[in-house]
Amino acid sequence: MASLPSYSELQEMGVLSSEARALQYCLDVGLLRPQQFCEQCNNYMGLQSCAASIYNDGYCWTCPAPSSHRRSVRSGSILHKRTISFSTFIHLIWLFCNYMSVTDATRILSINYKTVRTTFESIRRCMANDLLNDRGTTTRIGGPGHIIEVDECKFGKRKYNRGRRVVGKWILGGYSRTSNECFLVECPYDRRDHHTLLRLIKDRVLPGTTILTDCWRAYSALSQHGYTHLTVNHQRGFVNPATGVHTNTCEGMWFHAKNHMNKGTGRSRTDYTAMYLALSEFMWRKRYGLTKTDESVEKAFKQDIPNLFKRTFD
């Protein structure tokens, strides 16, 4: 497969200044479904021009049968029932890949704030679904030979910006040293007791995994549930001097996760849905090794996001 053009190359080619070219690009790379099937006539539909009074885009999928059933080019995609232009959609994907906030994207493109917010939210929903397995449940990581650091952290802010008390939500997280995958999940009812943490870990970590934690008592029964459990006492140091066990990688992950959570409108996401989608985006980017480097942003724009839409809508 030929290499896809970069964002700057799309600008030079005039793709972003022509809706017809922008539409063709979206079809070519999979941002829109490249073909549609008419279930009523049992035929594949063809892309044809049409009057703007039928579909504002000027194009639609048309069945070759005499019935000539029509369908929007946006059908079955993230743009279904949206009026955003194709060129603006490409711009938004580029800004999303660049970790741009909704506020900044709105200012740069001079478009409606709600349009940007709902588009970014839809991309995050695709990412959340992509993290699930074929049964629609959380994909577990680890297994025999894998080492995963597990820790919990409170996401929020100091009350009245004073003191040490943090008002927010407890998040359980794990980082695989073997595969560089991670999981982050909100603790139900803000609990981090034995039963809560054990259930969350069993749902996300395969048996046979070596799990490294601190000495919080809620982790004490992990070895009784098919895991090899090693600990470090943080009251005595960051590394267990006898075994070399530490959770420093997971601790470092919290720094990046909190920065990710605080981007956007400048405040931490505290409602469940927003928290879930933001955590899912962080995990998804981690799974595909995406960072803020120029090379990684280009990879996300040219490869990872188009492939995400293909998997989601096919």
Side-chain angles (χ1 to χ4, degrees):
M1 179 179 177
S3 176
L4 296 175
S6 65
Y7 178 76
S8 58
E9 289 172 337
L10 290 179
Q11 291 178 310
E12 294 171 0
M13 294 161 56
V15 171
L16 302 180
S17 58
S18 166
E19 278 303 287
R21 292 181 180 179
L23 168 59
Q24 190 60 55
Y25 171 80
C26 290
L27 292 170
D28 289 342
V29 304
L31 299 181
L32 296 174
R33 297 190 69 171
Q35 63 180 11
Q36 296 278 356
F37 186 78
C38 180
E39 293 81 5
Q40 295 165 293
C41 302
N42 202 33
N43 285 314
Y44 281 100
M45 309 176 84
L47 187 64
Q48 295 182 358
S49 60
C50 65
S53 59
I54 301 176
Y55 288 106
N56 291 333
D57 298 319
Y59 293 89
C60 67
W61 293 102
T62 305
C63 181
S67 59
S68 298
H69 292 122
R70 294 189 179 96
R71 190 175 297 169
S72 169
V73 293
R74 300 167 183 258
S75 179
S77 76
I78 197 175
L79 294 181
H80 184 55
K81 295 185 178 181
R82 297 178 186 268
T83 59
I84 182 176
S85 69
F86 299 119
S87 56
T88 299
F89 180 51
I90 297 172
H91 283 302
L92 282 175
I93 291 177
W94 172 250
L95 295 177
F96 184 87
C97 293
N98 276 276
Y99 295 81
M100 195 68 65
S101 69
V102 173
T103 301
D104 289 340
T106 300
R107 175 180 52 80
I108 292 172
L109 297 180
S110 299
I111 59 177
N112 183 270
Y113 177 91
K114 184 178 179 180
T115 298
V116 179
R117 179 177 60 79
T118 55
T119 301
F120 281 10
E121 181 179 293
S122 295
I123 297 174
R124 292 189 180 104
R125 288 188 184 279
C126 291
M127 291 176 168
N129 292 332
D130 197 47
L131 294 172
L132 304 177
N133 57 32
D134 294 337
R135 299 187 301 276
T137 58
T138 303
T139 300
R140 294 195 290 178
I141 63 175
H146 287 250
I147 299 175
I148 294 181
E149 300 177 21
V150 174
D151 189 28
E152 72 283 350
C153 181
K154 198 161 194 178
F155 280 44
K157 62 181 180 180
R158 292 176 298 164
K159 192 171 185 179
Y160 308 121
N161 292 318
R162 305 172 69 177
R164 299 183 62 183
R165 183 185 175 189
V166 176
V167 178
K169 296 181 179 292
W170 280 104
I171 305 296
L172 178 70
Y175 179 85
S176 172
R177 294 183 183 178
T178 313
S179 65
N180 294 324
E181 291 180 288
C182 69
F183 70 84
L184 297 97
V185 57
E186 182 180 337
C187 296
Y189 307 105
D190 219 26
R191 296 175 180 172
R192 56 190 188 110
D193 56 81
H194 160 73
H195 296 290
T196 300
L197 297 190
L198 180 60
R199 183 177 71 254
L200 294 177
I201 291 172
K202 291 176 70 174
D203 286 345
R204 287 159 179 81
V205 181
L206 291 166
T209 304
T210 297
I211 297 180
L212 314 181
T213 72
D214 57 22
C215 291
W216 175 241
R217 60 182 179 273
Y219 298 122
S220 60
L222 282 174
S223 58
Q224 301 172 25
H225 293 269
Y227 303 108
T228 299
H229 183 211
L230 303 176
T231 63
V232 53
N233 190 337
H234 283 158
Q235 292 184 338
R236 298 181 180 179
F238 292 106
V239 180
N240 186 321
T243 62
V245 170
H246 67 80
T247 58
N248 295 343
T249 312
C250 197
E251 296 282 353
M253 181 183 69
W254 293 129
F255 172 79
H256 296 289
K258 285 184 175 182
N259 281 344
H260 174 78
M261 296 294 291
N262 287 325
K263 76 180 181 69
T265 57
R267 58 180 174 80
S268 62
R269 298 169 170 87
T270 54
D271 63 281
Y272 175 79
T273 300
M275 176 78 77
Y276 169 72
L277 294 178
L279 292 176
S280 296
E281 179 191 351
F282 182 84
M283 289 186 286
W284 191 89
R285 289 182 185 267
K286 198 73 175 177
R287 171 182 285 187
Y288 292 97
L290 300 177
T291 63
K292 295 183 179 181
T293 64
D294 292 342
E295 295 79 6
S296 184
V297 170
E298 286 286 358
K299 174 178 174 290
F301 179 76
K302 295 165 60 175
Q303 175 181 322
D304 295 313
I305 294 296
N307 288 341
L308 167 68
F309 290 156
K310 290 177 184 177
R311 290 192 298 270
T312 302
F313 298 110
D314 278 356

